[in-house]
Amino acid sequence: MVKWRRHLHRHPELSYQEKETSAFVAGLLEGFGIEVRRSGAGYGLTGIIKGTRPGKTVVLRADMDALAIAEENTHDYVSQNQGVMHACGHDGHTAILLAVAAYYSARRDELRGELRFLFQPAEEVCPGGAQGMIGEGVLEGADAVYGLHLWSPLPLGTLGSAPGPLMASADEFFIDITGKGGHGGMPHRGVDSIVAASALVLQLQTIVSRNVDPLRPAVVSIGTIQGGTAQNVIAERCRITGTVRAFDEETRYLIRGRIEALSAQVAAAYGAEANVDYLMGYPPLVNHAAEFRRFLRVAPDALGSGVQAIEMEKLMPAEDFAYYLQQLPGCFVFVGAGNPEKEATYPHHHSRFEIDEDALLHGAKLLIGLADSCLSETSRE
């Protein structure tokens, strides 16, 4: 796993560009004697092993894409692709799932049911790679789906998940305020889009505090406000951009409605107009309670002493694994990969992000334990 992970780390590829990564994975799977089906919706692929006896079908997923970040680490396997880096652990996820595939390929005579190893492209960029692969039928006839994420904020030896909502939805909005340009010395002859936009920014902050149920976590963040061309010109146009996070669909759509309404109303109050481009991103990631309980039950036996499985707090980052959980029972688990002694302390998406590679074995054992547990259940409820 370390060898595979470091190879992938040296050769990262951005979302929707994972051509060589996909070829590397396919070559290994075929070398294991595993059937490989390539996706027509990008560079995703699925490895399939069918057991000698009937049983359940379990899907295991890893993501393969990297980020547009210039790596600043100094180890001997730094990225060779300038400006691109595996700064989120997807190289490790891919290596883990390859190891799990190798494990089962050597034990197919003992296998009951079917295993699908899903190597997905483009998790980092909406609309993501999950929906395209689901549309091609990778989940058809399956009974459960499991995935994991190496997580540097958790120390090595700790695995965490939660029943129900675990990760938030991630939506984006782009608001264009149009007024009437003019001379800065004669503001009464124009309609100042920057003043209208500034008022709107303040009003958008009231959505969570005054419209959202305080027992339902949510975030509305303004990322940019851009307008104007010179210090003595009334800006005719101003753009506001931001992100919205929520853990349930009702709150998600409530916030969207309030952003659209406030934009129109505040702009009109200043004599301007507003146009809102609202992009619905990944939905909330919602684990199934029974599968979360399976994780708590399986992890200690699969990983042995010195490793603990915990119920963790919700996280505001988003994940397109959420789409799989909309279709099948399953669980998404965070595998602790932080270790100050190995400089694995930097946050995800940082130019010096690193993992403790001992976490790779924890991830592989976990996926095997979850799959074995599900496949051992003879009924298909």
Side-chain angles (χ1 to χ4, degrees), residues 131-151:
Q131 291 188 91
M133 298 193 75
I134 291 171
E136 293 178 335
V138 294
L139 302 184
E140 288 182 5
D143 296 280
V145 60
Y146 303 108
L148 57 74
H149 204 303
L150 296 168
W151 198 240

Side-chain angles (χ1 to χ4, degrees), residues 195-206 222 224-225 240 266:
V195 171
S198 299
L200 178 56
V201 168
L202 294 179
Q203 291 302 312
L204 293 175
Q205 304 309 307
T206 68
I222 307 303
T224 70
I225 177 168
I240 301 168
V266 172

Side-chain angles (χ1 to χ4, degrees), residues 51-57 111-114 375 377-378 380:
T52 56
R53 294 173 292 171
K56 289 190 172 185
T57 296
L111 184 64
R112 169 183 291 167
E114 179 180 332
L375 292 172
E377 300 169 350
T378 55
R380 302 187 67 171

Side-chain angles (χ1 to χ4, degrees), residues 246-308:
F247 287 101
D248 64 271
E249 292 297 290
E250 182 180 351
T251 302
R252 190 183 186 196
Y253 280 92
L254 167 67
I255 293 173
R256 175 176 182 167
R258 292 303 297 146
I259 288 175
E260 292 173 340
L262 282 172
S263 298
Q265 294 161 3
V266 172
Y270 286 85
E273 295 181 350
N275 179 71
V276 180
D277 184 11
Y278 202 99
L279 302 180
M280 302 296 282
Y282 300 159
L285 187 151
V286 182
N287 280 328
H288 294 249
E291 295 299 338
F292 168 73
R293 292 193 295 270
R294 186 194 303 277
F295 153 68
L296 289 181
R297 184 175 67 252
V298 164
D301 291 337
L303 279 76
S305 62
V307 176
Q308 62 174 340

Side-chain angles (χ1 to χ4, degrees), residues 49-376:
I49 296 178
K50 296 182 179 180
T52 56
R53 294 173 292 171
K56 289 190 172 185
T57 296
V58 172
V59 179
L60 304 175
R61 174 268 203 173
D63 39 17
M64 302 188 294
D65 53 330
L67 290 152
I69 294 174
E71 184 165 10
E72 294 184 350
N73 287 317
T74 57
H75 47 60
D76 60 3
Y77 52 92
V78 295
S79 171
Q80 303 299 302
N81 189 355
Q82 186 63 36
V84 182
M85 176 190 177
H86 271 295
C88 202
H90 296 190
D91 50 348
H93 304 166
T94 301
I96 287 170
L97 193 54
L98 282 168
V100 175
Y103 173 88
Y104 281 111
S105 71
R107 293 164 176 80
R108 68 183 71 211
D109 291 341
E110 307 167 16
L111 184 64
R112 169 183 291 167
E114 179 180 332
L115 281 167
R116 299 176 191 168
F117 308 100
L118 178 56
F119 294 86
Q120 180 207 301
E123 186 278 328
E124 294 287 0
V125 177
C126 285
Q131 291 188 91
M133 298 193 75
I134 291 171
E136 293 178 335
V138 294
L139 302 184
E140 288 182 5
D143 296 280
V145 60
Y146 303 108
L148 57 74
H149 204 303
L150 296 168
W151 198 240
S152 64
L154 279 180
L156 181 74
T158 300
L159 292 84
S161 189
L166 174 62
M167 302 183 74
S169 59
D171 303 325
E172 300 174 346
F173 58 86
F174 306 82
I175 306 170
D176 291 302
I177 305 294
T178 303
K180 181 180 179 182
H183 195 291
M186 296 182 286
H188 60 294
R189 295 182 180 274
V191 175
D192 196 331
S193 66
I194 291 180
V195 171
S198 299
L200 178 56
V201 168
L202 294 179
Q203 291 302 312
L204 293 175
Q205 304 309 307
T206 68
I207 294 175
V208 172
S209 67
R210 289 297 174 268
N211 298 127
V212 174
D213 184 336
L215 299 180
R216 296 186 175 186
V219 169
V220 176
S221 292
I222 307 303
T224 70
I225 177 168
Q226 300 168 323
T229 56
Q231 79 280 0
N232 62 344
V233 174
I234 299 296
E236 184 164 333
R237 295 179 179 85
C238 187
R239 166 168 273 209
I240 301 168
T241 71
T243 186
V244 174
R245 309 283 165 139
F247 287 101
D248 64 271
E249 292 297 290
E250 182 180 351
T251 302
R252 190 183 186 196
Y253 280 92
L254 167 67
I255 293 173
R256 175 176 182 167
R258 292 303 297 146
I259 288 175
E260 292 173 340
L262 282 172
S263 298
Q265 294 161 3
V266 172
Y270 286 85
E273 295 181 350
N275 179 71
V276 180
D277 184 11
Y278 202 99
L279 302 180
M280 302 296 282
Y282 300 159
L285 187 151
V286 182
N287 280 328
H288 294 249
E291 295 299 338
F292 168 73
R293 292 193 295 270
R294 186 194 303 277
F295 153 68
L296 289 181
R297 184 175 67 252
V298 164
D301 291 337
L303 279 76
S305 62
V307 176
Q308 62 174 340
I310 64 170
E311 180 173 345
M312 63 188 295
E313 295 181 350
K314 297 180 177 68
L315 296 170
M316 281 296 175
E319 240 282 354
D320 74 348
F321 191 83
Y323 291 116
Y324 301 113
L325 292 174
Q326 289 181 335
Q327 304 294 321
L328 289 176
C331 189
F332 192 71
V333 179
F334 286 89
V335 177
N339 187 347
E341 295 180 2
K342 297 183 180 180
E343 298 188 0
T345 58
Y346 290 93
H348 291 248
H349 294 208
H350 191 281
S351 59
R352 293 194 63 190
F353 173 79
E354 185 54 279
I355 61 168
D356 185 331
E357 291 175 322
D358 288 345
L360 300 175
L361 187 57
H362 293 170
K365 287 183 174 181
L366 174 68
L367 289 182
I368 291 168
L370 290 170
D372 281 350
S373 173
C374 186
L375 292 172
S376 68

